[in-house]
Amino acid sequence: MNNVHLINHPLVQHKLTLMRRKDASTSTFRTLLNELSSLMAYEVTRDMPLQDVEVQTPLETMTGKMIDGKKLVFVSILRAGNGILEGMLSVVPGARVGHVGLYRDPATLQPVEYYFKMPQEMEERDIVIVDPMLATGNSAIAAVDRLKKLKPKSIKFVCLLTCPEGIAALQKAHPDVAIYTAAIDRELNSHGYILPGLGDAGDRIFGTK
Ligand code: URA
């Protein structure tokens, strides 16, 4: 699949399987999500541009490499996206963070925006949108539609799990947005849940069910 990066590192796959278990506690689920998110951060930042920087070691001066350009922005789709932020920020502590609040209308499954807050100078930044589940794709598409109006340098989308329907929808609307995921599950059910999936990610992260 074009522009889809399946992160099949053994540590990622192992942790994801533990998270899927229905008897995983809230704290176990959250811990695993943190660990998994930092591993996914390595993959999504793999092609970040570097610049040469002079550095004085205790012994001599050398030319080292540092990340070039304005700070990356992680954009969390509320609320489940927040579960991914901590792990990502542990690897990229200087990143900026934006939030998009979208809820799914239970009848239409269409996203409704209730919050949008981004850092300054978005036109000079690379964006990584985070949301654990790319299911119908409706929220992801709405978030990308909105973010593209700010003319960022690039947009990537990171999730834990997706399904063929979610990938097809996001790619149809935004073929330029690369998708990073730890798994592509079998299908979407009629309630907009991924099968076999891991249930409602927000409820599992925050213990609300
Ligand atoms: N959102 C979730 O939390 N889980 C799904 O399976 C689909 C969307």
Side-chain angles (χ1 to χ4, degrees):
M1 251 180 267
N2 247 353
N3 229 4
V4 178
H5 302 257
L6 183 61
I7 304 174
N8 55 9
H9 190 287
L11 289 173
V12 169
Q13 294 302 314
H14 179 87
K15 289 177 196 299
L16 178 60
T17 300
L18 293 175
M19 290 177 75
R20 288 182 189 268
R21 292 159 90 164
K22 72 184 232 190
D23 56 358
S25 68
T26 301
S27 82
T28 299
F29 190 89
R30 223 182 265 154
T31 302
L32 288 163
L33 181 57
N34 270 342
E35 295 168 355
L36 220 155
S37 303
S38 48
L39 294 169
M40 293 185 76
Y42 280 100
E43 291 299 327
V44 77
T45 54
R46 188 177 283 281
D47 61 356
M48 281 176 80
L50 292 170
Q51 60 175 320
D52 288 343
V53 177
E54 197 167 278
V55 57
Q56 177 74 55
T57 80
L59 299 174
E60 54 182 72
T61 302
M62 65 162 287
T63 304
K65 304 268 184 210
M66 288 187 82
I67 291 169
D68 197 12
K70 279 263 179 220
K71 301 254 190 300
L72 193 65
V73 186
F74 293 129
V75 173
S76 164
I77 299 185
L78 298 173
R79 69 183 164 149
N82 279 6
I84 296 186
L85 281 179
E86 194 178 321
M88 292 256 168
L89 288 169
S90 69
V91 176
V92 194
R96 302 298 192 242
V97 177
H99 292 92
V100 182
L102 295 165
Y103 69 86
R104 270 207 296 190
D105 183 302
T108 63
L109 302 184
Q110 290 305 308
V112 182
E113 184 181 307
Y114 63 89
Y115 190 74
F116 188 84
K117 184 83 180 169
M118 293 298 137
Q120 304 285 310
E121 299 163 335
M122 289 293 280
E123 66 286 348
E124 292 170 51
R125 299 185 189 275
D126 295 300
I127 295 178
V128 175
I129 302 176
V130 298
D131 190 354
M133 312 297 271
L134 175 59
T136 60
N138 292 338
S139 303
I141 292 167
V144 176
D145 285 345
R146 187 76 158 83
L147 288 164
K148 277 190 172 172
K149 295 200 172 107
L150 304 177
K151 306 216 177 320
K153 277 168 61 191
S154 71
I155 303 181
K156 293 175 178 172
F157 188 92
V158 177
C159 56
L160 287 186
L161 274 187
T162 185
C163 55
E165 296 88 338
I167 292 174
L170 181 54
Q171 289 204 318
K172 183 160 181 251
H174 296 292
D176 54 316
V177 173
I179 300 170
Y180 290 75
T181 184
I184 302 171
D185 276 10
R186 190 181 69 244
E187 63 181 336
L188 198 64
N189 73 10
S190 57
H191 302 287
Y193 280 86
I194 294 172
L195 298 177
L198 50 70
D200 187 297
D203 281 339
R204 299 205 63 189
I205 296 164
F206 300 111
T208 42
K209 211 169 205 172

